[in-house]
Amino acid sequence: MSARALAPELTRTALAPTVTLASGYEMPVVALGTWKAPAGQTGAAVEAAIKAGYRNIDAANDYNNEPEVGAAIKKCIAEGVVTRDELFVQCKLWNANHRPEHVVVDLAQSLEDLQLEYVDSYVIHWPQACPASGLQASTRVDGADARHYSENPIHYTETWRAMEALVAAGKCRSIGLSNFNKAQLEEVVAMAKVPVSILQNECHPYLQQKDLVDVCRTHGVAFQAFSPLGSGDTNLAVGPSPTGTTPLKDPVVNAIADRAGKDAGQVILKHAIARGIAVVTKSVTKARVESNFELFDWDLSPEDTKLMDGLNCGWRHLHWRETSHHPDYPFRDELPFGYELEKVSNFAPGQ
């Protein structure tokens, strides 16, 4: 049986479980996310996370806070809290930079902002390419082009080839995808010379992604959940969840938390990890950053695990529906019947 047909193997370190990626590198299954982390608070959150035991930091130039992330990492290394080799740092290729000649520029800007010589993982943020004139890459410094319609005829398979070249150049150790659907994932897996190590996608109790997780397992791709707690900001959702609430406020989740002597967030994260899913959990509150990492010395009961499994209702929060007319838009079949595209704006959705 080929290595690609095997599920990523979970191992345990003194700090947290890790998953062995298709690239051969280890990735801690809990990461601190930095999407929507405000300016002036991001660095403190990263520092608090590293000191609490996190060894995985998820960033993106689109979040417009990578300089703070990099400064916090540098500070923790200088103080002897952690070494660079102990950290797993991930960043993302923005949509306007899918042209092969722009990929290297995009990563170079992130490396400069993060004050790193390489990143551990570099993923294509979304499958659909934003407009690009071809004259220059759109970075944090230049101003990311976030118009939501297709004027850039670049396909993500061309982009993937440029990503592979960055691995050969030593600029990143692993490469992956984000917000790709099953068919798009399998298209890249089939043509990849450097294996797809990670698929990052929205996943939480209301969107458990069971089929997609199984497909990833079949191909040896580590599934990494963003918004694993469900997002409380429903402004990006097409409509409210079928339950009328969010996973953190769900009465079933909170009853389980009461029984376990934990909080709702810990229950949700524990359930995901028990399913073999890596999680990217975001907070800028020190106490919450710390509590979200307190997951490794207790387990959910089989009965409560079954209750959590039953919460899946297929509700996606982040559709980025303004791009739904793009030929590579990944979630078209999840938009409501008769949905009319909203007015295109320059709002950049981030994650």
Side-chain angles (χ1 to χ4, degrees):
M1 182 179 293
S2 70
R4 179 166 287 177
L6 297 175
E9 180 184 356
L10 283 175
T11 57
R12 183 170 293 276
T13 70
L15 293 170
T18 64
V19 60
T20 303
L21 301 177
S23 61
Y25 290 97
E26 297 288 319
M27 179 183 76
V29 299
V30 178
L32 178 77
T34 56
W35 180 36
K36 298 190 291 186
Q41 300 180 45
T42 303
V46 172
E47 182 178 351
I50 292 174
K51 290 181 177 178
Y54 290 74
R55 294 296 178 264
N56 190 344
I57 307 296
D58 180 73
N61 53 29
D62 176 53
Y63 304 165
N64 203 32
N65 55 17
E66 284 187 331
E68 281 194 54
V69 174
I73 290 173
K74 182 177 181 180
K75 182 174 185 287
C76 288
I77 292 174
E79 292 177 353
V81 178
V82 70
T83 66
R84 173 64 186 95
D85 288 344
E86 292 172 333
L87 287 175
F88 187 99
V89 182
Q90 177 169 273
C91 65
K92 305 178 184 73
L93 172 76
W94 181 233
N95 303 13
N97 296 331
H98 278 212
R99 291 178 181 273
E101 66 270 24
H102 291 169
V103 173
V104 64
V105 181
D106 182 284
L107 180 55
Q109 183 64 61
S110 282
L111 291 174
E112 179 181 335
D113 289 343
L114 293 168
Q115 302 184 59
L116 299 175
E117 294 183 357
Y118 69 92
V119 290
D120 298 273
S121 173
Y122 188 46
V123 304
I124 301 177
H125 207 150
W126 286 81
Q128 65 268 34
C130 283
S133 67
L135 299 178
Q136 65 180 32
S138 299
T139 65
R140 178 188 62 81
V141 173
D142 299 324
D145 184 343
R147 286 175 287 162
H148 300 166
Y149 49 89
S150 176
E151 294 176 359
N152 184 0
I154 298 299
H155 192 260
Y156 48 78
T157 53
E158 298 176 71
T159 306
W160 184 261
R161 287 287 181 239
M163 301 274 283
E164 292 179 328
L166 294 176
V167 176
K171 298 298 183 181
C172 55
R173 290 181 167 180
S174 306
I175 50 178
L177 309 169
S178 177
N179 294 299
F180 279 55
N181 62 30
K182 172 182 176 291
Q184 293 168 332
L185 166 68
E186 293 191 316
E187 182 178 14
V188 178
V189 166
M191 54 81 64
K193 296 178 180 178
V194 175
V196 180
S197 286
I198 294 166
L199 174 65
Q200 186 185 97
N201 226 314
E202 180 180 349
C203 182
H204 46 72
Y206 291 174
L207 184 70
Q208 295 186 23
Q209 301 275 25
K210 295 179 181 181
D211 285 349
L212 190 55
V213 170
D214 285 344
V215 169
C216 285
R217 185 172 293 115
T218 297
H219 294 297
V221 178
F223 187 93
Q224 187 182 50
F226 73 75
S227 295
L229 303 180
S231 179
D233 324 354
T234 56
N235 62 299
L236 298 178
V238 172
S241 74
T243 67
T245 186
T246 62
L248 279 172
K249 296 179 180 178
D250 189 284
V252 173
V253 173
N254 281 274
I256 293 171
D258 289 343
R259 287 193 292 273
K262 304 295 179 182
D263 63 43
Q266 290 170 326
V267 167
I268 292 172
L269 295 173
K270 186 67 179 184
H271 178 248
I273 292 171
R275 294 178 58 212
I277 293 173
V279 295
V280 177
T281 178
K282 174 258 174 182
S283 178
V284 293
T285 304
K286 183 174 182 292
R288 178 61 62 187
V289 168
E290 293 172 348
S291 69
N292 284 345
F293 198 71
E294 295 170 358
L295 305 170
F296 311 118
D297 59 355
W298 59 281
D299 294 297
L300 291 170
S301 70
E303 295 77 14
D304 286 339
T305 297
K306 186 175 181 180
L307 289 172
M308 291 294 295
D309 291 344
L311 293 176
N312 186 40
C313 56
W315 180 73
R316 182 183 299 278
H317 171 259
L318 179 56
H319 286 87
W320 198 12
R321 54 201 181 275
E322 293 88 349
T323 67
S324 59
H325 58 314
H326 193 292
D328 296 325
Y329 177 74
F331 310 131
R332 188 170 289 107
D333 62 347
E334 297 181 35
L335 294 172
F337 175 76
Y339 174 77
E340 294 185 8
L341 181 66
E342 294 184 4
K343 181 179 180 181
V344 174
S345 71
N346 285 329
F347 170 69
Q351 192 67 275

